Amino acid sequence: MASTSTSESTSAATTSAGSSEPVAIVCVGMAGSGKTTFMQRINAHLHGKREPPYVINLDPAVLNVPFESNIDIRDSVNYKEVMKQYNLGPNGGILTSLNLFSTKVDQILKLLEKRTAPDPENPSKKPIKNILVDTPGQIEVFVWSASGQILLESLASTFPTVIAYIIDTPRTASTSTFMSNMLYACSILYKTKLPMILVFNKTDVKDADFAKEWMTDYDAFQAALSNDEAANAFGGVEGEGAGSGYMSSLLNSMSMMLEEFYAHLSVVGVSSMTGAGVDDFFAAVREKAEEFKKDYRPELERKRQERDEQRQKAREKELDKMMKDMSMGSNSTRDTSVKPPKTDEDEEMLDESDEQDAEDYDDDVDDEYDREGLQARYEAATGANADSVMDDASFAKYLHTQRR
């Protein structure tokens, strides 16, 4: 009996593992945060586990990357030529390159779907389980641009997608830079509406325990804020009391506001140099992938359905408008059954026009009768054959002389 339950649980686990979806990990971070080195580390980690990922590089301005990319934006778009042709600066060149590359998003998704699905011709070939996406160091160019939104939404519509926000831990040691990073992470979370992991990088230089404590213990952050105020870290006026400066009051207010925000984040400390904390990072990725399936995907599907319904309504509205225009056009040329309301003047004009139309109609009928009478008189006078062409011509000439 026990062996039966064990085999059932094993088969269930195998089924669950076989049905697990690949996860897209999008790495974003400020310039100098070690984002590219972090990408190299997690790529090497997955290769070491014999689960090679599918790597996408979206930074068109990078000269060299320390990992091999399956899809590289530099193969499709020449960053320097874009700057030259469109007369752009560095940031404008990156943004325009991303815009050009986003037009190929359908081809990218087809490649990803092909590589993440089992190959029927080669069953021994493992499908891809992880998709790694490296983004430009100019974080706002990707996160706040239309092309970045298109790429993120396209990935999220197909795979569970997780945002990994890379933070430079040594530079976040002060309360002001820490709060700046938290506000930036908050804006990215609510802009992308995707599950996020805060990755405190470079823990081999400075441990990230202080940041985790500040996020979970309000009193600990307040104590650190008081220490910074006492050390005049915010550039305030010497001799004034603690908390009197604008910066300290702002940070104090922000720390209270962001408590709810911290509750929805996963926080890990990683060293891209030594590889410490990478296992914790992938455990957080699996957790956020499940969260995506449970919370984010239904919301995305609901929004997609709303967009489809709005598009359908817009199409139907345009179709109705076109049909009305066509019916109005046909009525104006052929159909006289639909007419606008008549006024008294219209009635008088209508009566006059009706009388004139009646007279014209009688004249037309008289002309027909006159023509028939002339035809009879002509035939009686000449005894001609009405079926001959020459007789028709002669009758036309006779008719002409009679009217004169």
Side-chain angles (χ1 to χ4, degrees):
M1 198 71 177
S3 61
T4 304
S5 61
T6 305
S7 62
E8 289 177 355
S9 62
T10 304
S11 62
T14 305
T15 305
S16 175
S19 62
S20 61
E21 296 181 72
V23 182
I25 304 170
V26 182
C27 298
V28 299
M30 296 184 183
S33 61
K35 178 171 52 60
T36 303
T37 312
F38 174 76
M39 278 279 298
Q40 179 191 17
R41 173 55 63 182
I42 60 176
N43 183 32
H45 178 81
L46 291 172
H47 275 280
K49 287 184 171 293
R50 298 187 181 278
E51 294 181 356
Y54 201 86
V55 183
I56 302 174
N57 174 43
L58 295 180
D59 191 353
V62 67
L63 294 177
N64 297 299
V65 289
F67 50 83
E68 186 177 352
S69 301
N70 298 97
I71 297 177
D72 199 326
I73 188 175
R74 297 174 299 171
D75 297 334
S76 304
V77 183
N78 191 323
Y79 166 69
K80 291 184 178 180
E81 284 298 321
V82 168
M83 289 177 60
K84 201 177 293 183
Q85 290 182 12
Y86 295 95
N87 194 23
L88 299 171
N91 288 346
I94 294 173
L95 180 59
T96 305
S97 299
L98 280 171
N99 290 339
L100 294 171
F101 186 72
S102 64
T103 60
K104 302 178 181 294
V105 67
D106 292 337
Q107 300 176 29
I108 296 170
L109 289 179
K110 286 180 181 177
L111 287 172
L112 292 176
E113 288 174 352
K114 182 179 180 181
R115 290 294 290 112
T116 54
D119 189 356
E121 297 180 358
N122 189 4
S124 61
K125 186 178 182 180
K126 289 184 178 180
I128 297 296
K129 295 183 179 179
N130 294 280
I131 302 166
L132 306 182
V133 183
D134 192 16
T135 60
Q138 290 79 353
I139 189 171
E140 67 281 355
V141 170
F142 178 77
V143 175
W144 297 99
S145 66
S147 55
Q149 185 176 0
I150 290 170
L151 291 166
L152 281 176
E153 288 184 355
S154 300
L155 277 175
S157 65
T158 312
F159 309 102
T161 305
V162 178
I163 301 292
Y165 181 58
I166 316 301
I167 299 173
D168 189 344
T169 306
R171 293 184 182 178
T172 318
S174 68
T175 53
S176 58
T177 54
F178 171 80
M179 190 56 63
S180 298
N181 269 293
M182 294 302 103
L183 290 175
Y184 219 129
C186 181
S187 66
I188 294 171
L189 176 66
Y190 290 107
K191 178 66 172 66
T192 61
K193 297 180 176 62
L194 293 171
M196 176 181 287
I197 303 172
L198 293 185
V199 181
F200 284 91
N201 197 16
K202 306 180 183 179
T203 54
D204 54 310
V205 179
K206 184 174 180 60
D207 197 273
D209 288 340
F210 75 94
K212 296 177 182 178
E213 185 181 14
W214 287 355
M215 294 177 68
T216 54
D217 190 348
Y218 175 77
D219 294 332
F221 182 79
Q222 291 300 313
L225 185 59
S226 299
N227 292 335
D228 286 346
E229 286 178 317
N232 198 28
F234 307 134
V237 180
E238 291 284 349
E240 290 190 358
S244 60
Y246 169 76
M247 181 63 77
S248 60
S249 62
L250 176 64
L251 295 177
N252 189 18
S253 302
M254 290 297 174
S255 63
M256 290 188 291
M257 183 271 292
L258 290 176
E259 277 188 314
E260 182 66 23
F261 167 68
Y262 297 149
H264 295 86
L265 296 177
S266 295
V267 183
V268 294
V270 175
S271 171
S272 299
M273 186 65 65
T274 64
V278 174
D279 289 326
D280 296 336
F281 170 74
F282 279 104
V285 167
R286 289 190 293 271
E287 178 185 345
K288 288 299 177 182
E290 294 300 321
E291 182 180 330
F292 177 91
K293 298 174 189 177
K294 180 181 177 183
D295 299 330
Y296 288 83
R297 176 170 285 169
E299 182 68 15
L300 289 173
E301 291 177 353
R302 184 185 64 81
K303 289 183 177 179
R304 185 192 303 172
Q305 185 176 359
E306 287 180 357
R307 284 198 299 268
D308 292 342
E309 290 176 356
Q310 290 175 358
R311 289 173 184 168
Q312 183 65 25
K313 289 179 181 178
R315 281 195 291 266
E316 291 176 356
K317 186 177 179 181
E318 289 295 325
L319 182 61
D320 290 342
K321 184 179 178 182
M322 184 181 68
M323 295 300 293
K324 287 179 181 178
D325 292 343
M326 291 175 63
S327 63
M328 288 179 65
S330 62
N331 288 340
S332 63
T333 55
R334 297 179 182 178
D335 189 8
T336 57
S337 61
V338 180
K339 297 179 181 178
K342 305 174 196 174
T343 61
D344 294 337
E345 295 179 1
D346 292 336
E347 291 285 352
E348 295 176 1
M349 294 175 64
L350 186 59
D351 293 339
E352 294 176 359
S353 63
D354 287 344
E355 293 176 0
Q356 184 65 37
D357 291 340
E359 292 175 2
D360 295 340
Y361 176 77
D362 293 338
D363 292 339
D364 292 340
V365 174
D366 292 339
D367 288 342
E368 290 294 328
Y369 287 136
D370 290 345
R371 182 181 178 88
E372 291 178 0
L374 286 171
Q375 175 78 23
R377 289 199 298 273
Y378 173 76
E379 291 177 356
T382 60
N385 187 2
D387 293 333
S388 97
V389 177
M390 293 301 295
D391 289 339
D392 289 339
S394 301
F395 173 70
K397 187 183 297 184
Y398 173 76
L399 181 63
H400 183 66
T401 57
Q402 289 293 323
R403 287 190 173 180
R404 283 186 178 180

